[in-house]
Amino acid sequence: MQNLTELPGNTTSSNNLSVIVKVCVVIPFFIAFMFFILLTLYTFASHRQFFDSSRYILFTYMLMNDTLQLLSSVSLFLLVMGAVQFAIVYCAPLLFVSTATFLNTPLILSTMSLERYVAIFYPLHRPAIWRPEWIWIIILSLWIISCILPTVDFVLLRLKPGVDVHSTPVLCKSNVLNASPIQALFKVSLNGIFFAVVAVVILFTYIRILLETRQMRQDRVSVRKALHTVLLHGFQLLLCIMAFSQPVAEFLLVQRVNLSQADMSFIYYFCFILLPRFLSPLIYGLRDESLRSYMKKAMPCYGARVDPNKEVKMAK
């Protein structure tokens, strides 16, 4: 996975300020996201009616996946920034979770786009698999698919000579598990197919909903909201795909721009790994009137201003 694990671990005094700045940039965003996700999950737990909608169930699943992605990736980021070395046997689980959750993100985006498509075109005769009581089957399938690549990394693992899995300390970076050319080729090919399929799904749902928007004379507001949601999912997917352009960008820009490889890697990590995760709560959390109203009630600064007996109509 093209993420912070590619950042080189520099411990020289000349880079101390750069490390401090990077940590001070990442940590506040991480704390803000964790506050928002805990508030959202608390809201869901306090109002069980949200779980009667497959849309909100998928949103909860997306937040949980993004939380695991951030916890693992930020942990790896801090370990690499601190040049902390330890055995591969302890590093591998972190890399596994980070890679699996990274790949799970585009799968969730495409699934949520399909859910909007099904909700619009089959509002009264929704297939059973998309109903709230069966949506867990889709969620389980997404996890299985996203775990294929990191599992293959372990199966094809070929360590460098002199490296012992249990005792040799290493920087916890993805190239530790991707040492052979076969692994690199397989990874690039699978990622290319993986993201191409997801892009086709999101593009298909966007075009179909767009055509439906032009044909419908009633309920155009809900269809337009679904159209905007799918468009934002496509933007998130684009940010994820951009993470794989890091090697090309480094080759083209490092020599022309006064940036080190470590700084370029950090920019890519922040823009294309962290930023899409911060956008996820904004797309469904702050744009959803029903959820936003309940979240305001849950916040101490708003709780005294809102009538607790006031009911908020659930968004369709």
Side-chain angles (χ1 to χ4, degrees), residues 17-164:
L17 179 60
S18 176
V19 170
I20 292 174
V21 170
K22 292 171 184 176
V23 171
C24 290
V25 169
V26 169
I27 296 302
F29 276 88
F30 173 74
I31 294 175
F33 175 85
M34 291 304 299
F35 170 78
F36 186 89
I37 190 174
L38 290 176
L39 178 63
T40 306
L41 294 177
Y42 172 79
T43 303
F44 282 145
S46 302
H47 304 87
R48 300 294 298 178
Q49 64 266 34
F50 282 108
F51 293 99
D52 293 333
S53 170
S54 56
R55 175 188 179 188
Y56 290 111
I57 294 175
L58 288 173
F59 175 52
T60 304
Y61 170 57
M62 178 176 64
L63 289 180
M64 295 176 65
N65 178 80
D66 287 347
T67 301
L68 289 175
Q69 161 62 205
L70 285 177
L71 286 173
S72 58
S73 65
V74 171
S75 298
L76 289 169
F77 169 79
L78 295 176
L79 290 171
V80 173
M81 286 292 97
V84 178
Q85 298 186 2
F86 48 92
I88 294 178
V89 67
Y90 304 113
C91 167
L94 272 176
L95 291 175
F96 185 95
V97 173
S98 182
T99 303
T101 51
F102 176 78
L103 295 174
N104 209 5
T105 296
L107 289 176
I108 299 173
L109 294 177
S110 61
T111 303
M112 297 181 79
S113 297
L114 285 174
E115 190 277 332
R116 289 292 80 202
Y117 171 82
V118 171
I120 290 173
F121 286 91
Y122 306 99
L124 300 179
H125 303 283
R126 179 174 297 199
I129 193 66
W130 291 102
R131 295 172 185 171
E133 59 270 21
W134 293 102
I135 199 71
W136 63 270
I137 297 178
I138 295 178
I139 293 175
L140 179 61
S141 301
L142 297 183
W143 267 116
I144 293 174
I145 295 173
S146 63
C147 289
I148 292 177
L149 182 58
T151 301
V152 172
D153 280 342
F154 282 100
V155 173
L156 300 179
L157 179 62
R158 296 293 185 272
L159 297 176
K160 297 178 180 179
V163 176
D164 183 77

Side-chain angles (χ1 to χ4, degrees), residues 189-234:
S189 302
L190 187 60
N191 282 332
I193 297 173
F194 184 82
F195 280 89
V197 171
V198 172
V200 169
V201 171
I202 293 180
L203 183 61
F204 166 78
T205 55
Y206 177 80
I207 294 176
R208 291 286 289 128
I209 295 175
L210 178 62
L211 295 176
E212 185 69 9
T213 303
R214 295 180 177 180
Q215 296 175 2
M216 289 186 65
R217 296 182 180 274
Q218 298 177 349
D219 200 22
R220 295 175 64 92
V221 175
S222 61
V223 176
R224 287 186 180 276
K225 286 183 178 180
L227 183 66
H228 294 158
T229 299
V230 174
L231 184 61
L232 288 171
H233 287 334

